[in-house]
């Protein structure tokens, strides 16, 4: 299912902009949902990957719940029509207004990351005469083998409750009147390209669960988070991530106990491949040692290369001339505003349209107005 770009239509649009292949998004959702259904798993889309209102509406229509990490995301999810009882709320630093919003809307669950947070949720719930459903986000100390900025499951990360503190937080929790433990939550990192860390996660959770069973605790909900990676190098060869083998790892390694519900929070794997950032070449600058393709898009539209040294496949949609070597850079006044160094592109000239592929996740949503730039607009293949 190769993304085909309507280049003639693009010529009439002001660049840069985001372009979403609606058909691919729907296909991805359908594959994810049907593979999860094989095992009765529940999916909550991680809103932080892309909160474009139409993207959210399409994902909601496919039957997903929402995983939110801020009050703003809870509002965006509710506005897109997600049912409150399918919203989970994670994050190390939940502000009081955000917790109150979650309580007022009766969201499914707060994923709690520390004892002080648990105490605040209990107090705010008590003030409203409510019972807050909570899951404990446990740091399973599993190395995700991914970029250090997006690994989250190691002991030194700021996220989650470390395993050696679980006993204390459970003692605390059972002493509080307005929080009810409904599950455990894990998220070990993002853009995982191997499945072994997920297998290690299953082993860790099994051990943990056996320990809790000895205390007479049965865990109703297990949430394994997100993290499934996408193929940034070959988006057309792998437009839909391998949801089948991903869920099978959990099925094969984590036996579900009676009445237990298993949840996942995929973000990148749902929206990554359907989005491209479309930009125009402003200038081709011949340096003394390099040629620079200077785009009208920069890290204000797509920050992943500057933030995580991420690489996106770059295509010239206007030229099929002989390849030359270029650095592809943006117009922002920072040296880190560089999308790629020494890559081959067909001979490129001013006005050529350039696609930065696999930009649907952590692209548009991370856009900023630095240099007083305008936020990018978005177009969808079925509405163009
Ligand atoms: C970011 C995040 C996700 C989604 O991660 P992806 O790698 O985009 O799938 C899921 N759960 C939590 C708690 C997160 O912080």
């Amino acid at each position: 299912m190769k993304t085909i770009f309507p280049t003639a239509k693009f010529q009439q649009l002001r660049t840069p902009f985001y372009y979403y292949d609606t058909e691919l998004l729907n296909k991805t959702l359908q594959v994810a949902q049907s593979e999860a259904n094989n095992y009765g798993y529940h999916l909550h889309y991680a809103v932080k990957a892309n909160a474009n209102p139409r993207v959210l509406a399409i994902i909601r229509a496919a039957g997903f719940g929402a995983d939110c990490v801020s009050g703003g995301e809870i509002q965006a999810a509710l506005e897109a029509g997600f049912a409150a009882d399918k919203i989970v709320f994670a994050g190390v630093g939940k502000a009081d207004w955000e917790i109150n919003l979650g309580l007022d809307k009766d969201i499914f669950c707060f994923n709690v990351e520390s004892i002080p947070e648990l105490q605040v949720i209990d107090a705010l719930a008590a003030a409203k005469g409510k019972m807050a459903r909570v899951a404990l986000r446990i740091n399973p100390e599993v190395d995700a083998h991914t970029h250090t900025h997006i690994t989250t499951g190691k002991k030194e990360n700021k996220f989650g409750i470390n395993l050696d503190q679980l006993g204390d937080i459970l003692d605390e929790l059972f002493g509080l009147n307005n929080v009810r433990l409904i599950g455990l939550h894990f998220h070990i990192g993002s853009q995982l390209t191997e499945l072994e860390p997920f297998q290690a996660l299953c082993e860790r959770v099994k051990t943990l669960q056996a320990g809790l069973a000895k205390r007479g605790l049965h865990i109703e909900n297990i949430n394994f988070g997100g993290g499934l990676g996408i193929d940034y190098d070959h988006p057309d060869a792998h437009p839909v991530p391998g949801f089948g083998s991903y869920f099978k790892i959990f099925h094969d390694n984590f036996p579900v106990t009676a009445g237990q519900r298993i949840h996942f929070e995929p973000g990148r794997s749902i929206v990554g491949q359907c989005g491209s950032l479309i930009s125009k070449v402003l200038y081709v600058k011949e340096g003394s040692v390099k040629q620079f393709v200077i785009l009208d898009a920069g890290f204000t539209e797509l920050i992943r290369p500057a933030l995580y040294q991420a690489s996106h496949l770059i295509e010239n949609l206007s030229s099929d001339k002989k390849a030359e070597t270029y650095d592809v850079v943006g117009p922002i006044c920072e040296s880190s505003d560089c999308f790629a160094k020494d890559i081959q592109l067909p001979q490129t000239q001013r006005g050529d349209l350039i696609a930065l592929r696999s930009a649907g996740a952590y692209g548009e949503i991370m856009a900023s107005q630095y240099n007083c730039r305008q936020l990018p607009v978005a177009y969808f293949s079925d509405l163009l």
Side-chain angles (χ1 to χ4, degrees):
M1 222 184 142
K2 190 177 184 320
T3 291
I4 312 284
F5 293 101
T7 315
K9 281 184 185 154
F10 284 178
Q11 292 292 356
Q12 292 146 34
L13 301 172
R14 176 170 165 175
T15 50
F17 58 84
Y18 271 90
Y19 175 73
Y20 296 109
D21 181 339
T22 314
E23 202 189 331
L24 178 56
L25 174 56
N26 277 314
K27 169 84 187 157
T28 307
L29 290 165
Q30 180 235 311
V31 173
Q33 199 63 278
S34 75
E35 296 290 354
N37 284 346
N38 285 339
Y39 311 115
Y41 293 160
H42 300 268
L43 301 183
H44 302 262
Y45 166 65
V47 172
K48 77 174 192 278
N50 186 321
N52 177 292
R54 185 151 190 259
V55 168
L56 289 184
I58 292 170
I59 294 172
R60 192 262 308 147
F64 281 61
D67 160 42
C68 299
V69 293
S70 72
E73 285 192 0
I74 294 175
Q75 277 158 344
L78 290 169
E79 276 160 30
F82 285 91
D85 65 3
K86 282 187 167 188
I87 292 178
V88 296
F89 182 18
V92 279
K94 300 179 187 74
D96 292 15
W97 75 266
E98 297 177 306
I99 295 169
N100 279 325
L101 178 67
L103 291 168
D104 290 340
K105 302 292 178 184
D106 277 320
I107 62 166
F108 174 57
C109 183
F110 293 86
N111 293 334
V112 173
E113 308 219 6
S114 66
I115 290 185
E117 180 193 333
L118 187 65
Q119 292 164 336
V120 170
I121 293 176
D122 180 69
L124 294 175
K128 292 178 185 293
K130 289 201 168 190
M131 179 68 82
R133 287 171 294 275
V134 301
L136 297 178
R137 174 165 178 180
I138 310 294
N139 181 345
E141 292 158 30
V142 169
D143 187 348
H145 303 296
T146 184
H147 190 277
T148 47
H149 291 185
I150 49 179
T151 185
T152 54
K154 296 208 282 185
K155 215 177 193 141
E156 61 270 29
N157 288 123
K158 71 174 176 180
F159 299 103
I161 296 154
N162 286 338
L163 287 169
D164 53 8
Q165 299 170 313
L166 180 59
D168 291 345
I169 197 165
L170 284 173
D171 292 340
E172 176 73 25
L173 199 155
F174 294 129
L176 299 173
N177 292 323
N178 294 79
V179 287
R180 182 165 80 81
L181 180 69
I182 65 158
L184 297 179
H185 175 229
F186 306 86
H187 173 69
I188 57 174
S190 202
Q191 185 51 20
L192 273 72
T193 50
E194 303 155 19
L195 295 177
E196 289 89 272
F198 294 119
Q199 191 172 342
L201 174 61
C202 290
E203 293 308 322
R204 208 30 85 78
V205 179
K206 264 195 296 198
T207 311
L208 194 60
Q209 188 164 263
L212 294 174
K214 287 202 191 114
R215 278 187 73 158
L217 270 179
H218 175 252
I219 306 298
E220 278 169 71
N221 293 279
I222 300 282
N223 184 334
F224 285 115
L228 177 62
I230 63 170
D231 189 342
Y232 281 99
D233 298 327
H234 311 100
D236 291 320
H238 299 119
V240 179
F243 291 107
S245 39
Y246 172 67
F247 291 127
K248 189 170 185 304
I249 283 280
F250 290 92
H251 173 73
D252 291 348
N253 293 281
F254 191 81
V256 177
T257 60
Q260 194 170 51
R261 289 159 66 96
I262 307 295
H263 306 257
F264 292 87
E265 302 167 334
R268 184 191 315 271
S269 55
I270 298 295
V271 290
Q273 296 293 34
C274 72
S276 297
L277 174 60
I278 307 297
S279 174
K280 241 180 209 161
V281 176
L282 293 173
Y283 306 103
V284 178
K285 175 170 156 180
E286 306 283 340
S288 47
V289 292
K290 286 190 168 227
Q291 299 193 92
F292 295 95
V293 168
I294 302 172
L295 301 181
D296 61 4
F299 72 49
T300 41
E301 287 72 41
L302 181 62
I303 202 174
R304 298 190 64 258
L307 192 59
Y308 314 120
Q309 294 96 48
S311 85
H312 288 259
L313 183 67
I314 299 177
E315 289 174 344
N316 186 325
L317 305 180
S318 309
S319 166
D320 53 10
K321 299 199 189 93
K322 206 165 130 288
E324 295 195 14
T325 304
Y326 299 99
D327 279 16
V328 179
V329 303
I332 313 298
C333 298
E334 299 283 344
S335 301
S336 60
D337 188 30
C338 174
F339 289 120
K341 288 200 160 103
D342 297 318
I343 61 157
Q344 300 279 304
L345 280 179
Q347 195 186 57
T348 298
Q349 59 183 20
R350 173 172 165 83
D352 284 357
L353 281 165
I354 301 289
L356 291 109
R357 303 292 307 275
S358 313
Y362 309 105
E364 186 186 354
I365 190 68
M366 284 190 168
S368 77
Q369 293 187 297
Y370 183 48
N371 286 188
C372 291
R373 288 167 62 82
Q374 288 181 0
L375 289 174
V377 296
Y379 298 100
F380 290 79
S381 58
D382 60 325
L383 295 183
L384 207 63

